[in-house]
Amino acid sequence: MGDVNGEDSAQTDNKAKLKLRGTPSPVSVKARHMGREVRDRMPALTGLTHLPDSIKRAIRNPQAELRNREGLSPEAALHATHNFRSGVLNGVMFTMVDGLIAPSLVLALFVKHLGGDNVLVGLLPSLVTGGWFLPQILVAGRVQGRTHMMDWYLRSGIVRIAILALLTLVTILLANSPFMLLAVFFICYAIYSFAAGVSGIPWIEMVGKTIAPRRRGSFFGLRNFWGGLLALLVAAPVGLIVSEQFLGLTFPYNFALLFGTTTIVVALGVYFWVAVKEPAAIELAPSISIRKLLRRGMEAYKTDSDYRSFMISRILLSLATVSDPFYVVYAQAHLGAPAGTVGLYLAALSISSLLSNFIWSPLADRASNRTLMTLAVLVSALVPTIAVLVSMFIGVWDNVFLYTSFTLVFIMSGLALGASRIVNNNMVLTVAPPAERATYVGFLNAILGVVIFVPVLGGLVVDVLGYLVVFVASVVLAALALLASTRMSTKRPYQ
C-alpha cells in the first residue's frame, strides 16, 4: 500500500510541476471551455452596459473570478462542499476525544489510580499541548514547498491509532503491574501527542487550501459545536465507566474500555480527513532548513506587524494561563465550596464553551483581525480578573454567595476556550502568507511549545506566595496581551 500511495503522490507532484511550468490543468481547460461556450452562446451579454461587473468578469475569465470570489483555487472550489463536510466530521470526532480522555479529568484519575503524584498529574495538559506545538518546527521546513500534504497527515494518523490500540492492550495485560503500566502509559501518551503535533502543519495547510476564507469561522465553529455536543452526551457514560458502575468493569479494565473507544473515534476522525480531496498548492516556497526557518521566522516577526502582534498576544495569554489549574482548588480552600460544586463549575465550563461557537464563529467570518483578536483576549482577561474581584469580598459576603458567584470564572473560561479553538486557527490562516504558512506556523508554535511549560511553575509560586499573587500575575499578563492585540490591522479574514 505504501508503494502505491508513493506512486500516486509522485504522479500528483509531477502533474503539479507541469502545471507550474505552464501546462494547463484539466480544471483550467474546463474553465476556458466554459468561458468560451458562454461567450459564444450569449454574445450580447458582454455588450450590455447595465450588466454587473462581476458577471462580465466571470464571462471573460471564469477561472480567475471563481478563485477571487471564494479565495480558493478552481480545483479546490470544485470540491469545496465535500471538503467542508469531511473537515467538520473530522473535527467532531477529535473534539469528542477530549470528552472521552480529557487530560485534566479522566487521565488525571487514571494516573492517580496508578499511584502517580501531583507532578505527573500536572504534566498531562502540558504534555499534550507541548506535544502539539514542539514537533512543528521540525516538520515546517520539510513540508514547505510540497504541493500535497495528505501523506504526512495519514502517516501520523496511523501512528496515533496504533498507539491507542497498543495502550488499550497494555492496560489489560499490565493490570497487576501499576508502576509498569504508569511508565508505559506516559510513553504511549507522549508518542500520541507528538504524532498529533507532526500532523499539525500539514492539517492547517490543507485547511488553508480547501476551506474558503469567508467560511473558516463557520468551519471551526461547526466542528467545535457538534463535537462539544457529543462530548456532553458521552459525559454521563464516561462518568459511569470511571466510577466502575458500567458492566461491572473495575480498574484498570474500565479505562481500557475508554482507550479502546477512543481508538475507534480517532480512526474515524483520521478517515474523514483522508476523505478530503486535496488540491495542489498554487503558491509555493522552497523547502527550508530549521536554521533558516528560525531566521525567516525572526524576520517575519520584525517586519510583519500583524504577525508580531498576534505572536505577542498568544505568548502572553499562554503565560496568563498559569492560574487555570488552581481555580477549583482555591474555591474549595478559601471560598468554602463543597465537593459537589465542582460539578457546577464543570457544567458551566462545558455549556459556555459549547454556546460560545454562536459568538465566535460569525465573528471569525466577518470581524476584522483587530476586533476578533481583541475580543478573544478580553474574554480571557476576564477569567483571572473575576477571580481577584470575588476574593476581595471574603469575610464580607456569605460563602455560599461567593462560591456560587465564582461560577462566572468558569463561564468566562468556557468562552475563552471556544475563542481559542476558533480564533487562533482562523487568525493564523489570515496572517500567514499562503506560500510561507508552514514557516509562520512552525516558528510561532515552536515558541509556544516552550512557553506552554512555564505555567507548570505556578504551583511553586502558589506554595510560596499564595493564590492571589498568581491570579494578579495572570491579570497583568492578560492586560499586556490585550494591549498587543489592539496593534493589529483592521484587515478582514477574507481580504
Side-chain angles (χ1 to χ4, degrees):
M1 172 125 5
D3 293 338
V4 173
N5 289 338
E7 183 179 342
D8 292 342
S9 178
Q11 291 176 355
T12 306
D13 287 345
N14 289 335
K15 290 178 182 179
K17 290 176 182 176
L18 289 174
K19 184 177 179 180
L20 292 174
R21 292 174 184 168
T23 303
S25 68
V27 176
S28 62
V29 171
K30 183 178 179 180
R32 273 206 296 271
H33 285 317
M34 182 178 69
R36 190 180 300 117
E37 182 179 357
V38 171
R39 287 193 294 270
D40 292 340
R41 291 187 179 184
M42 295 184 293
L45 283 179
T46 55
L48 294 177
T49 57
H50 66 276
L51 199 66
D53 291 339
S54 60
I55 296 180
K56 290 183 178 180
R57 287 196 303 269
I59 293 172
R60 289 194 298 268
N61 193 344
Q63 181 184 20
E65 179 61 18
L66 181 62
R67 184 182 177 192
N68 290 336
R69 185 179 302 168
E70 292 295 331
L72 298 174
S73 68
E75 183 183 0
L78 287 175
H79 306 292
T81 301
H82 167 81
N83 289 343
F84 188 93
R85 290 172 180 168
S86 294
V88 168
L89 289 172
N90 163 263
V92 168
M93 292 298 104
F94 279 104
T95 304
M96 186 178 173
V97 168
D98 293 337
L100 289 170
I101 53 170
S104 59
L105 294 173
V106 178
L107 295 185
L109 290 175
F110 182 69
V111 171
K112 292 295 287 185
H113 270 83
L114 292 175
D117 57 21
N118 289 328
V119 174
L120 292 178
V121 172
L123 181 62
L124 287 169
S126 294
L127 185 62
V128 68
T129 307
W132 171 261
F133 285 137
L134 288 175
Q136 296 188 21
I137 189 68
L138 304 176
V139 175
R142 299 190 65 182
V143 301
Q144 182 166 291
R146 293 175 60 91
T147 58
H148 292 80
M149 302 286 177
M150 186 62 80
D151 55 337
W152 276 81
Y153 181 87
L154 178 59
R155 291 190 197 110
S156 65
I158 292 173
V159 170
R160 295 164 80 181
I161 296 168
I163 284 295
L164 285 174
L166 176 62
L167 180 58
T168 304
L169 181 62
V170 168
T171 302
I172 297 172
L173 296 178
L174 297 179
N176 297 320
S177 304
F179 179 79
M180 184 66 70
L181 178 55
L182 182 64
V184 173
F185 164 75
F186 270 98
I187 293 172
C188 289
Y189 195 58
I191 295 174
Y192 174 84
S193 301
F194 276 78
V198 169
S199 70
I201 289 181
W203 178 81
I204 200 72
E205 284 278 1
M206 285 187 281
V207 171
K209 291 191 296 181
T210 58
I211 307 300
R214 288 178 182 266
R215 301 198 70 193
R216 286 173 188 160
S218 301
F219 175 74
F220 292 121
L222 288 171
R223 286 164 57 95
N224 294 330
F225 176 79
W226 291 111
L229 186 60
L230 282 180
L232 280 177
L233 292 177
V234 302
V238 168
L240 291 175
I241 293 171
V242 170
S243 61
E244 303 182 356
Q245 298 179 21
F246 183 78
L247 299 179
L249 290 174
T250 57
F251 184 87
Y253 303 105
N254 54 344
F255 280 88
L257 175 61
L258 285 178
F259 295 148
T261 304
T262 304
T263 304
I264 296 172
V265 174
V266 169
L268 287 172
V270 171
Y271 168 78
F272 285 129
W273 192 253
V274 172
V276 165
K277 300 182 185 300
E278 182 190 7
I282 301 299
E283 301 180 43
L284 295 174
S287 59
I288 188 173
S289 66
I290 294 178
R291 187 168 72 173
K292 289 182 179 178
L293 186 147
L294 291 172
R295 186 184 306 158
R296 175 61 190 131
M298 283 302 302
E299 290 176 359
Y301 174 82
K302 294 176 181 177
T303 59
D304 190 327
S305 59
D306 270 3
Y307 184 58
R308 181 171 59 252
S309 298
F310 179 61
M311 178 180 287
I312 292 173
S313 293
R314 288 290 308 277
I315 291 173
L316 290 170
L317 275 183
S318 294
L319 293 173
T321 60
V322 65
S323 299
D324 287 0
F326 306 108
Y327 291 128
V328 171
V329 180
Y330 176 79
Q332 290 182 329
H334 293 272
L335 303 181
T341 311
V342 174
L344 172 64
Y345 294 160
L346 288 175
L349 177 69
S350 300
I351 294 173
S352 62
S353 176
L354 184 66
L355 296 180
S356 72
N357 291 289
F358 295 106
I359 300 174
W360 299 117
S361 182
L363 276 174
D365 284 340
R366 298 178 179 85
S368 69
N369 289 349
R370 181 193 299 167
T371 300
L372 186 61
M373 195 65 193
T374 300
L375 288 175
V377 176
L378 180 61
V379 170
S380 298
L382 288 175
V383 177
T385 302
I386 293 173
V388 171
L389 290 175
V390 172
S391 68
M392 294 173 62
F393 292 94
I394 293 177
V396 178
W397 290 344
D398 182 70
N399 277 356
V400 175
F401 182 79
L402 285 176
Y403 66 68
T404 304
S405 301
F406 207 69
T407 307
L408 289 172
V409 170
F410 298 93
I411 292 175
M412 288 299 142
S413 293
L415 292 175
L417 179 61
S420 67
R421 288 175 174 173
I422 296 177
V423 174
N424 290 343
N425 286 325
N426 194 71
M427 190 66 68
V428 76
L429 287 169
T430 303
V431 171
E436 292 189 287
R437 189 179 290 131
T439 296
Y440 273 57
V441 176
F443 182 73
L444 170 63
N445 288 348
I447 302 298
L448 290 174
V450 176
V451 171
I452 204 68
F453 285 94
V454 175
V456 177
L457 301 175
L460 298 176
V461 178
V462 167
D463 291 338
V464 176
L465 301 175
Y467 293 97
L468 281 182
V469 173
V470 177
F471 294 168
V472 171
S474 293
V475 173
V476 173
L477 289 166
L480 293 174
L482 184 62
L483 178 63
S485 70
T486 60
R487 297 179 180 178
M488 297 192 73
S489 71
T490 55
K491 178 182 177 181
R492 296 182 184 274
Y494 48 82
Q495 290 178 329

